[in-house]
Amino acid sequence: MNDIGNYALLLSWFTALAGCLGGAVAGLKKSPRWLLMARNSTILSALFGVTALVMLGAAFYHNDYSNKYVWQFSNRDMPAVYKVSAIWGGMDGSMLLWAAILTVCGALVALRVDKYPRLLMPWTLAVINSSSLFFLSVTLFFTNPFRYIAAPFVPFDGNGLNPLLQNPFMAIHPPTLYTGFTMLSVPYAFCLGAMLSGYLTNDWIRLTRRWTLVAWAFLTAGITLGGYWAYIELGWGGFWAWDPVENASFLPWLTATAFLHSVMVQERKEMLKFWNVWLVVATYGLTVFGTFLTRSGIVQSVHAFAATDIGPVFLIYLAALLIVTGVLSYYRRQELKSPRRIESLFSREAAFLLNNLLLLSICFATLWGVMFPVLSEAVTGEKQTVSIPFFNSVNVPLFLALIFLMGIGPLIAWRRASLKSLRKTFLMPFLAAFAMAIVLVWAGIVEFYPVLSYSLAFFVLLTILGELHRGIKVQRGAADSRKSVLSASVTALRRHRIRYGGYFVHFGVLVMAVAITASMAHKVEREFVLSDGGEYQIGRFTLRLEGTNELNNRNYQGIQSQVSVIRRADGKKLGTLKPELRRYFKNDESTTEVALMSSLREDLYLVLAGTDSGGRRMAFKVFINPLQCWLWIGALLVVIGTVIVLIPRGALAHVAVGVADESFAAAKGK
Amino acid sequence: MKIFWSIVVAVVAFVVLFMFQATRGTATTVFLPSKLIEIESKSHLRRVRVAGRVAGDSIDYQVEPKLKLSFEIKDPQGNSETTLPVVYNGIKPDMFAPGRDVIIEGEYKNGTVYASSLLTQCPSKYEPPDSPGVKRQGDYHQKGLGQ
């Protein structure tokens, strides 16, 4: 399996090289035959890349400890699902996963080569293959996961996977995230392809919009899954710590979000062309930079990969990327000039520009925070770091400004908004939000940021509802006035599916914003010690320790406590929490297993912290995280909204008409 | 273009100022344990961040009356054997063990670091203690032939 995997990887590398060169020749000679060759090479490269990945998976599944990587990250007693997810448990396999998904993205583009503009495709394929080539080279020459173990005989058992990674969410979080990352190379390939070929119409933007959206949805889902894993596994009651690894995934998400918005300005107004080119390249560059950051060991992180010597390779690639883009965008500067200007500060163009600047500011501040240890050491010789307070104090106000813009941007008029239209659209929501702020203060929430955050979210919600209301009214007015509200809204949604999908995404973001605010502002945490039968009161709950028993498992031994949760108001038992403290045999590591009782209102989060020296009294840490589950629901809404936007035109027509007819009939029957 | 650039300049100026302020307020110097002990005499009470390795046999974890984890750290690399005592009032973090690299943030008082945060370096960084075929051979031997 090792050899097959290694050869598959090598063949994938060669076919990517062929695709890259073939694309370039096709671009120079404008030759369809070379384009066909580039197309087929790209597809072959993906087949070989996936084969290599499958081979590594098979090596894990069959406990092939002649493979050094498999030996390092697996052992016999591990459940099969974790054996497979151990593929990306370490650096080498994660690079292979990355490269394999990237070749698949290339193939997906190549398969549709006939549908895209002929002038654009050769260079696009060349660029996307160059990207695959880079990641395949790193995998093949620097982090090859198919190396044989340097032992005199094949070991009977492996070293084992870190217990913290033995979690179902670690099985899906990395592939989801990597799919998002690698898909962002498609807009990048189209963008460079457009500049190389000189085919600089809006086509490349239009064609890559769906790609960017899919990538963005995966990235959003991947980042949230990572946060969820941290929340349920690490036992500190939080989901985001501004750790370099988290930030590395957050940076391209920010620029991709900015790009999704500025694209609309280019499509409608042919503005921000130059800006968009750099935004796309920056997004791709940041995915590469993130890989570099988490794998080169240049910054200390709680969960970084082991430090390796691949840093310089990534830096050279990034430098080359910047130089090529710089030269190309200078060379094409005439074509990238926008024919129009922003006419007024009160216009959708200006709002979108502001949105982009805020997103980039958050990106820059985060990057600054991540790189601060390196920068301060280089400048002053003394290594300094910034941590969570820095990121929060800078990014929270920027995010709040962004939420405010989320209410303004989609509704304000293009070009120039009149005072009258501004008043009509925004005055009521604004006053209502102001009233909301007063109510919140009256209800006892007096901190500035939470009040501002909730009120802003309310403001945006009202603008979205107002827009929905207007849309339905227009539909009802346009056709039959007897048309039911339901049927009118279905028609409105169908006609403007993309716009309403966007509002749906915004709504999801609002839900997340409220959940994050609640968790930052109203989280409660306590420590306490109990003997059997002892009780502790927190919030609305009484916790009673019923007992503790020992656990014995093939992988670990440990203790598990049973803690009853009782509602204080009426003494009703709500359930039993069973937090665990485990000690894994491999490498003698201990971990806590969090017990969680989740409701729409709050999460009760219980950690078994340890026992006293006699082993009779148990120490616990408990968190009450208000509105926590709305964070995950909000993220789900964001992804659903993106899917609504992505549904192909016409696919919904059938369903929607059916529903509309039925409700129409129902309305008539009344 | 005037509007474009005025928006850009205004936002950039605001953000840079804000970032500068936040950096000045929150930046903490990172020390090695030996370095911190060396400069101890100069300052007695200060916020520090220390990156060190947990020294073997120094860990003491009590849950009563308060959670209290005390241990000693030394330089992760190099020959310095000086150790720095650390006291942390909180849960022993997952994967905390002798030989692990930790990052501690807290107050440095009378030769002891009172940690407000304690991070164990780990998750994805999961390398075997030694390269295979060297020291761990005995390990295979037991497992491989004993079963």
Side-chain angles (χ1 to χ4, degrees):
Chain A
M1 281 176 285
N2 253 355
D3 291 336
I4 303 175
N6 219 346
Y7 284 122
L9 195 57
L10 197 64
L11 284 171
S12 182
W13 188 86
F14 272 113
T15 42
L17 181 67
C20 182
L21 296 176
V25 173
L28 289 171
K29 288 183 152 182
K30 309 225 176 340
S31 143
R33 280 180 53 205
W34 280 96
L35 179 59
L36 188 68
M37 177 269 187
R39 170 188 178 267
N40 293 342
S41 306
T42 315
I43 295 166
L44 273 179
S45 178
L47 288 177
F48 290 128
V50 171
T51 309
L53 188 64
V54 170
M55 283 303 130
L56 186 60
F60 268 103
Y61 188 77
H62 293 293
N63 303 319
D64 179 3
Y65 298 126
S66 67
N67 179 321
K68 184 181 171 196
Y69 182 76
V70 175
W71 173 81
Q72 260 182 39
F73 291 99
S74 181
N75 66 299
R76 282 182 191 275
D77 286 337
M78 232 157 61
V81 56
Y82 299 140
K83 278 183 189 163
V84 175
S85 66
I87 294 176
W88 42 84
M91 158 112 130
D92 303 0
S94 71
M95 288 307 293
L96 176 64
L97 177 71
W98 188 299
I101 305 180
L102 187 54
T103 56
V104 171
C105 287
L108 288 175
V109 173
L111 280 170
R112 316 183 68 200
V113 86
D114 296 332
K115 293 188 179 151
Y116 292 140
R118 262 296 148 93
L119 280 170
L120 194 56
M121 287 323 287
W123 287 109
T124 303
L125 285 185
V127 174
I128 204 159
N129 274 304
S130 76
S131 178
S132 302
L133 200 57
F134 170 72
F135 280 97
L136 285 167
S137 303
V138 172
T139 314
L140 197 57
F141 304 123
F142 293 94
T143 65
N144 194 325
F146 295 109
R147 289 198 184 116
Y148 281 100
I149 197 160
F153 51 86
V154 175
F156 175 75
D157 203 356
N159 183 55
L161 185 66
N162 184 333
L164 294 180
L165 301 182
Q166 297 190 27
N167 177 300
F169 286 90
M170 262 301 142
I172 54 171
H173 155 65
T176 315
L177 196 62
Y178 287 12
T179 307
F181 280 148
T182 51
M183 270 192 174
L184 287 172
S185 62
V186 177
Y188 152 78
F190 271 90
C191 169
L192 276 201
M195 286 206 289
L196 282 163
S197 64
Y199 186 75
L200 272 165
T201 59
N202 277 349
D203 275 357
W204 74 267
I205 278 241
R206 215 171 31 77
L207 292 172
T208 54
R209 183 155 179 203
R210 295 176 68 84
W211 283 97
T212 317
L213 268 172
V214 176
W216 188 82
F218 271 103
L219 213 53
T220 310
I223 293 172
T224 316
L225 285 171
Y228 189 71
W229 167 78
Y231 181 67
I232 60 172
E233 185 64 48
L234 297 182
W236 60 284
F239 50 89
W240 189 266
W242 297 106
D243 181 83
V245 171
E246 295 161 0
N247 292 338
S249 65
F250 193 47
L251 296 173
W253 183 88
L254 290 164
T255 50
T257 312
F259 172 62
L260 281 173
H261 290 89
S262 63
V263 161
M264 292 182 232
V265 181
Q266 177 166 352
E267 276 185 6
R268 288 288 292 260
K269 297 279 156 187
E270 293 203 47
M271 288 196 280
L272 302 179
K273 284 185 180 178
F274 199 79
W275 179 271
N276 281 334
V277 163
W278 277 98
L279 216 46
V280 167
V281 175
T283 304
Y284 173 73
L286 283 172
T287 65
V288 179
F289 180 77
T291 327
F292 159 74
L293 198 66
T294 48
R295 288 166 176 81
S296 63
I298 68 157
V299 290
Q300 279 180 333
S301 155
V302 197
H303 40 196
F305 288 93
T308 48
D309 47 2
I310 61 169
V313 189
F314 274 83
L315 282 186
I316 291 168
Y317 182 66
L318 279 170
L321 185 70
L322 285 182
I323 292 168
V324 167
T325 314
V327 169
L328 277 174
S329 61
Y330 181 74
Y331 181 65
R332 301 284 183 199
R333 64 190 180 285
Q334 289 305 325
E335 287 102 317
L336 291 173
K337 258 203 181 133
S338 300
R340 291 201 185 82
R341 305 248 178 286
I342 293 178
E343 291 175 32
S344 161
L345 197 58
F346 297 98
S347 64
R348 195 176 293 186
E349 294 91 319
F352 274 42
L353 177 65
L354 208 51
N355 141 301
N356 265 242
L357 286 171
L358 287 173
L359 282 163
L360 289 191
S361 300
I362 297 169
C363 182
F364 182 71
T366 309
L367 188 61
W368 169 265
V370 172
M371 298 306 289
F372 191 69
V374 182
L375 295 174
S376 63
E377 194 169 22
V379 174
T380 64
E382 194 179 59
K383 192 168 173 183
Q384 295 194 313
T385 60
V386 292
S387 52
I388 300 172
F390 166 81
F391 291 104
N392 282 346
S393 69
V394 177
N395 286 344
V396 165
L398 292 174
F399 267 115
L400 291 178
L402 209 52
I403 291 175
F404 176 65
L405 274 185
M406 219 160 87
I408 305 289
L411 298 186
I412 198 169
W414 290 102
R415 287 188 60 204
R416 189 184 294 273
S418 68
L419 195 62
K420 202 181 140 206
S421 73
L422 285 178
R423 203 184 311 144
K424 193 177 149 208
T425 323
F426 298 116
L427 187 63
M428 283 311 290
F430 187 78
L431 289 178
F434 195 72
M436 176 75 162
I438 292 170
V439 169
L440 286 171
V441 173
W442 179 73
I445 302 174
V446 287
E447 300 96 325
F448 177 66
Y449 278 143
V451 171
L452 187 62
S453 172
Y454 294 134
S455 315
L456 282 176
F458 191 56
F459 168 72
V460 180
L461 179 68
L462 290 177
T463 61
I464 293 176
L465 290 177
E467 180 68 2
L468 211 61
H469 175 71
R470 269 188 293 279
I472 294 168
K473 219 165 79 181
V474 166
Q475 286 306 322
R476 290 188 78 184
D480 204 326
S481 59
R482 282 176 305 169
K483 215 172 176 182
S484 76
V485 174
L486 178 66
S487 133
S489 30
V490 168
T491 320
L493 290 180
R494 211 181 70 213
R495 292 229 174 119
H496 306 283
R497 181 177 42 77
I498 292 184
R499 196 197 316 164
Y500 288 114
Y503 286 138
F504 202 87
V505 172
H506 279 183
F507 175 67
V509 174
L510 289 185
V511 172
M512 291 177 83
V514 169
I516 291 170
T517 311
S519 109
M520 283 175 82
H522 317 299
K523 183 192 260 269
V524 179
E525 56 177 282
R526 298 272 183 279
E527 283 164 16
F528 59 95
V529 180
L530 290 181
S531 9
D532 280 5
E535 290 187 348
Y536 184 79
Q537 297 190 330
I538 179 168
R540 301 183 295 128
F541 308 105
T542 300
L543 304 175
R544 182 166 60 218
L545 177 62
E546 305 289 357
T548 301
N549 52 296
E550 283 183 17
L551 298 172
N552 282 300
N553 184 292
R554 285 200 300 177
N555 258 335
Y556 58 83
Q557 65 182 23
I559 51 172
Q560 183 192 58
S561 287
Q562 284 89 33
V563 178
S564 297
V565 182
I566 298 152
R567 190 155 62 199
R568 265 165 78 178
D570 55 3
K572 186 174 174 241
K573 188 176 164 183
L574 299 172
T576 307
L577 290 172
K578 294 175 180 171
E580 293 175 12
L581 195 59
R582 292 180 185 172
R583 190 168 196 83
Y584 281 77
F585 300 128
K586 284 277 166 197
N587 302 321
D588 198 25
E589 281 149 338
S590 60
T591 70
T592 54
E593 291 292 307
V594 175
L596 197 59
M597 188 188 267
S598 202
S599 72
L600 292 181
R601 183 166 166 182
E602 65 212 341
D603 275 14
L604 191 62
Y605 184 108
L606 189 66
V607 186
L608 179 52
T611 63
D612 70 348
S613 47
R616 306 248 320 267
R617 284 163 66 74
M618 303 290 143
F620 296 95
K621 181 146 193 174
V622 64
F623 296 82
I624 291 189
N625 298 319
L627 303 183
Q628 183 68 46
C629 78
W630 291 98
L631 181 63
W632 323 122
I633 295 174
L636 191 64
L637 293 178
V638 169
V639 173
I640 293 173
T642 318
V643 172
I644 294 176
V645 174
L646 281 168
I647 298 168
R649 203 178 296 252
L652 264 187
H654 216 64
V655 187
V657 168
V659 174
D661 285 350
E662 265 171 42
S663 57
F664 190 47
K668 258 185 177 173
K670 268 188 210 161
Chain B
M1 268 303 114
K2 236 167 65 190
I3 292 176
F4 179 90
W5 285 111
S6 39
I7 296 177
V8 172
V9 169
V11 172
V12 169
F14 176 77
V15 170
V16 167
L17 201 77
F18 209 59
M19 261 177 51
F20 182 69
Q21 202 70 19
T23 311
R24 279 225 321 208
T26 60
T28 325
T29 309
V30 187
F31 292 99
L32 286 173
S34 61
K35 182 81 182 162
L36 191 62
I37 293 165
E38 199 184 304
I39 60 164
E40 185 197 351
S41 51
K42 289 178 195 162
S43 55
H44 284 289
L45 178 76
R46 63 189 291 184
R47 236 188 128 61
V48 290
R49 204 173 157 101
V50 198
R53 183 165 291 170
V54 180
D57 297 331
S58 67
I59 302 174
D60 176 43
Y61 185 46
Q62 295 170 4
V63 299
E64 273 186 310
K66 266 181 79 80
L67 292 179
K68 183 179 166 195
L69 175 65
S70 41
F71 55 97
E72 291 174 353
I73 55 171
K74 56 183 186 188
D75 291 3
Q77 273 118 27
N79 307 319
S80 172
E81 281 303 312
T82 41
T83 55
L84 174 71
V86 179
V87 173
Y88 173 63
N89 290 111
I91 299 183
K92 185 162 86 170
D94 286 359
M95 320 301 283
F96 181 88
R100 278 279 144 74
D101 287 346
V102 290
I103 302 173
I104 290 148
E105 208 170 309
E107 254 164 36
Y108 186 46
K109 224 174 358 186
N110 306 328
T112 302
V113 177
Y114 294 88
S116 56
S117 101
L118 163 62
L119 298 173
T120 311
Q121 291 210 309
C122 211
S124 332
K125 176 179 181 173
Y126 200 65
E127 301 291 318
D130 288 294
S131 60
V134 191
K135 270 187 190 162
R136 290 179 63 99
Q137 250 186 43
D139 202 26
Y140 304 140
H141 205 72
Q142 282 173 357
K143 288 258 163 75
L145 303 180
Q147 285 183 353

